[in-house]
Amino acid sequence: MKTKIKEYRGRYNLTQERLAELVGVRRETIIFLEQGKYNPSLRLAYNIARALGASIDEIFIFEEGED
Amino acid sequence: MKQRKALLAAIIIAVVLMVALASTRQYYIAIALGVEVLLVFRREIWHLGRYRRLPPFDERFQENAKKAARNSFIYMSVATVFLMLAYAINVDYVVDYEPFQVLGWLLISGGLVYLLGYIFYDRVEPKLRERELKRYWTFLRIAGIGFGCAITSIFLHNVIGRFVGIEEPVFFVIGVLLAPTAMGVGLVGSLVYFIKGLLRKQLPEINQPDDERIQP
């Protein structure tokens, strides 16, 4: 799964630390999400999308053929 | 909030148990319990000391902690069964130690297994490539099989020696030479990949806003 978290963070000048605080997770979680190495729960995906002022499918791009 | 209460309750119970054990002069197990608490809750204690608040218990932390706790539980269950077997057949180098000493070491090693498991799922696994991850698990399996073979062979060697009355050579060679060698190779191999993943710099060192900011 690819994400546009980094891109959207840039728009709002949000650091990983600040976004992590906003959605109540650790910075490492944001890092691994940005690298596509962690699949978030629907709740976390929703919280991140809301914090970045976008919808879930704008932030998280699910690629065909993935588990 | 639930996790915070659970953490507080676990630490209070551990402290009360340590005081009770120390008052009955079971110092080994009291110290072991203290070390266990430090190992398991080191992240929370460190965060509390540095930032004056508990770290977020996010879903990724919970997933990794659950997996690490499962590994630690499996390890302690298997180790307990082996220790009971050792006591049942009077294996000299286990029976020589006081049961409380053995229990203390079991607790400390259980805490270490938890800690290593947590670090692996949290920091190492996401940074290893697929091929490296496969090799890591293969080495770990070799170490596990070596360990199991060593203990089983020593057990069988002792049982045959005790009940048949002969100095049995095959299980002795497996238990003292072959299985420990396999275990050593497996441990070193998996440790190499563990350290490789841990030291691989994929995470940015400092979270500077200016470095990260992307121009839209």
Side-chain angles (χ1 to χ4, degrees), chain B residues 46-60:
Chain B
W46 178 82
H47 211 275
L48 205 58
R50 187 168 174 189
Y51 301 109
R52 306 273 173 237
R53 61 186 160 88
L54 282 168
F57 294 89
D58 64 11
E59 59 182 46
R60 199 170 155 268

Side-chain angles (χ1 to χ4, degrees), chain B residues 66-82:
Chain B
K66 246 184 228 173
K67 286 185 207 166
R70 180 202 59 198
N71 290 353
S72 180
F73 177 76
I74 292 170
Y75 161 79
M76 285 178 86
S77 308
V78 172
T80 306
V81 169
F82 278 124

